[in-house]
Amino acid sequence: MTTTGTAATTSDAGTASTDATADATTSGASAAPDPVAGSTTTGAAEPVITGHDRGIHGYHHQKAEHLKRLRRIEGQIRGLQRMVDEDVYCIDILTQVSASTKALQSFALQLLEEHLRHCVADAALKGGDEADAKVEEATKAIARLLRT
């Protein structure tokens, strides 16, 4: 188990060992912890390796919650199909359409926030053209969301 703010980790057996930060410090290299990836960098020339580089997307840690939410939205859409099939009153169907649309928009905003906190922040950490491309990509995504 890793304790935030310390250089020691505890294994299942309860023995303490030092993490990469402490190892780099004792070897004479000046290392700074990378807050995004939990790794260390030992110089400006070394590339920063983050979770995004390892194929981990911003929504990864909440994937189960997202899938549950999407299944709920899918149920709302199936409910719409059933309502039409059963000739339910138009206004009642429109009310359900509004609720389904709101649920999708809420999901999209949460996903966008996670993208900004993870993917765009990762690119900003690295700087350069990648950062500019991610900001432009996010701006276009926001514009698409505003048009809906």
Side-chain angles (χ1 to χ4, degrees), residues 42-132:
T42 56
E46 288 185 29
V48 176
I49 305 298
T50 63
H52 194 263
D53 294 322
R54 295 182 194 108
I56 299 173
H57 297 291
Y59 61 84
H60 176 76
H61 298 293
Q62 294 183 335
K63 189 174 182 177
E65 292 88 1
H66 288 324
L67 289 172
K68 181 178 177 181
R69 192 171 185 183
L70 287 170
R71 285 186 198 101
R72 192 175 313 123
I73 294 168
E74 180 183 20
Q76 288 180 301
I77 301 304
R78 288 177 194 252
L80 282 168
Q81 293 172 336
R82 182 187 48 77
M83 291 172 82
V84 170
D85 187 48
E86 295 174 359
D87 294 322
V88 173
Y89 184 59
C90 301
I91 297 301
D92 293 339
I93 296 172
L94 290 171
T95 300
Q96 185 63 29
V97 167
S98 177
S100 300
T101 302
K102 179 74 174 164
L104 276 172
Q105 288 173 339
S106 177
F107 174 75
L109 284 175
Q110 184 174 2
L111 198 61
L112 176 64
E113 179 183 357
E114 291 168 357
H115 177 70
L116 293 173
R117 290 184 185 276
H118 185 267
C119 303
V120 176
D122 175 72
L125 182 66
K126 294 177 180 179
D129 292 339
E130 184 179 353
D132 293 339

Side-chain angles (χ1 to χ4, degrees), residues 22-43:
D23 291 341
T25 304
T26 58
S27 68
S30 65
D34 178 357
V36 176
S39 64
T40 58
T41 56
T42 56

